[in-house]
Amino acid sequence: MKRCTRRVALAQAGLAGAILGLCAVPAMAQEWPTKPVRMLVGSAPGGGTDAAARAVADKLGPALKTTVVVENKPGASNTLAPAEAVRANDGHSLVMGVSTAHAIAPYLIKLPYNNDRDLVPVAYVGAVPNVLVVNKDLGLNTVSDLVALVRKQPGKVNFASSGAGSTQHIAGELFREAAQADITHVPYRGSAPALVDLMGGSVQMSFDTMASVLPHIKSGKVKALAVASAKRSPQLPDVPTTAEAGLKNVEMSAWYGVYMPAGTPKAVQDKVHDEVTKIIQMPDVKARLEAIGMEVQPMSQAQFQAFHNEENKRYAALIKRRDIRLD
């Protein structure tokens, strides 16, 4: 009888502990944050990643009833920001991640953290498609015109990028494969100098982000031939997608999402996901993001994780296949 009574008491204690554990999950989310939150950005102020971070941070602070400070840590293909978040591991450091850091850099440079083990995708924000643009003086009107030119002059057509390992660089490699063309990569330190040389004629083509190149397309300084996305962009409705223009598998967008250190409690991840997903759908925030060419696309955390995995597989395979290196 005593043994039976003891078993019942232990069972009741275990049940009570389980109930307390379940109650602790929402309590943890309610108590968090306990101090100001950092939104780390791997690029300099003024770029697309920075603009996305500030659009979200401006609303996230009031939603969390704390201060959200945007901190820029440019360099190393946008990986200094996630490296700092992993190093801090304080539960109050978010990263406005970008595809360059979370799907391309892991296969090109040695990182002080593991991209898949040490970080977790929390809230997807959206993507800014790359646009295939050419120097206006070439007199090209279609992708077919460009393909004919590069095949006629193998090795003599240069394509600019904002740097080795950037989405612009990877898009150029996809074009090289799809068009079976011999083109020369010319890396720059950012989009601005690359576009200056594109407009000046030192380079002939580029796959630049919508945010960087749209003003120059509208002013007629460069010619847009295709948008490297699955569907046409509302910003350039008359410009075909790369697939419509005859280039298969040449889709390239700079995508953005909030990451956190993997050790962050799931209740906190859920809270950040829910708040960020609400914020990016607010009309004023959505307008700010669309102004930089972003296509806002809410995802569940599971969908974002699956997307992260697929993008890593895609880029890893391409980088290996094309033997792309930073040196």
Side-chain angles (χ1 to χ4, degrees):
M1 179 67 71
K2 289 182 179 179
R3 185 177 298 173
C4 181
T5 302
R6 185 181 178 187
R7 286 178 179 173
V8 171
L10 287 173
Q12 289 175 337
L15 179 60
I19 293 171
L20 287 173
L22 289 171
C23 291
V25 173
M28 183 182 299
Q30 289 171 1
E31 293 169 2
W32 185 90
T34 58
K35 61 181 182 178
V37 172
R38 296 190 297 170
M39 175 78 77
L40 297 161
V41 177
S43 59
T49 315
D50 180 72
R54 292 180 190 279
V56 171
D58 285 350
K59 299 285 188 177
L60 187 59
L64 297 178
K65 296 180 174 59
T66 190
T67 301
V68 176
V69 180
V70 175
E71 290 188 17
N72 298 85
K73 296 189 176 294
S77 296
N78 297 97
T79 62
L80 296 185
E84 169 60 19
V86 171
R87 184 203 64 76
N89 195 27
D90 58 0
H92 289 73
S93 296
L94 316 178
V95 180
M96 180 53 74
V98 62
S99 48
T100 306
H102 297 282
I104 298 174
Y107 309 102
L108 292 173
I109 62 179
K110 186 176 181 180
L111 299 173
Y113 59 90
N114 185 293
N115 184 54
D116 293 314
R117 185 185 62 234
D118 298 332
L119 292 158
V120 61
V122 173
Y124 188 76
V125 174
V128 178
N130 285 53
V131 185
L132 171 55
V133 290
V134 296
N135 178 276
K136 64 179 179 61
D137 295 328
L138 292 176
L140 305 178
N141 294 310
T142 66
V143 168
S144 297
D145 293 340
L146 175 60
V147 171
L149 175 66
V150 297
R151 288 180 178 173
K152 185 178 180 180
Q153 301 179 17
K156 294 184 179 180
V157 174
N158 300 323
F159 78 93
S161 81
S162 61
S166 63
T167 56
Q168 293 98 314
H169 178 195
I170 301 300
E173 294 294 339
L174 288 171
F175 174 87
R176 194 199 301 265
E177 277 194 336
Q180 298 180 348
D182 181 8
I183 54 178
T184 302
H185 176 222
V186 182
Y188 288 81
R189 290 181 178 272
S191 287
L195 285 169
V196 168
D197 276 6
L198 177 65
M199 291 183 282
S202 298
V203 291
Q204 290 74 47
M205 59 178 286
S206 179
F207 279 88
D208 213 326
T209 58
M210 180 75 73
S212 296
V213 80
L214 188 59
H216 303 296
I217 294 171
K218 290 185 174 180
S219 68
K221 293 179 180 178
V222 296
K223 175 74 174 181
L225 299 185
V227 178
S229 56
K231 59 182 181 180
R232 294 197 182 198
S233 169
Q235 305 272 12
L236 296 170
D238 296 327
V239 177
T241 66
T242 44
E244 288 174 335
L247 293 175
K248 294 183 179 180
N249 302 317
V250 184
E251 290 186 14
M252 178 59 60
S253 295
W255 50 260
Y256 304 86
V258 175
Y259 284 73
M260 298 185 76
T264 304
K266 187 61 170 64
V268 174
Q269 294 179 35
D270 290 344
K271 187 168 186 176
V272 172
H273 170 271
D274 293 347
E275 294 299 343
V276 171
T277 301
K278 289 176 190 174
I279 287 167
I280 62 174
Q281 296 178 85
M282 293 178 180
D284 56 334
V285 176
K286 189 175 181 182
R288 285 178 66 177
L289 295 173
E290 290 176 344
I292 61 171
M294 185 177 294
E295 297 172 4
V296 176
Q297 183 182 351
M299 290 185 186
S300 69
Q301 190 174 4
Q303 288 173 326
F304 187 16
Q305 180 68 68
F307 175 78
H308 166 97
N309 294 343
E310 286 302 314
E311 285 290 274
N312 273 263
K313 288 179 184 177
R314 182 166 79 103
Y315 288 122
L318 174 68
I319 289 166
K320 182 178 181 180
R321 189 168 67 245
R322 298 297 308 168
D323 192 26
I324 300 172
R325 302 181 186 185
L326 294 188
D327 51 15

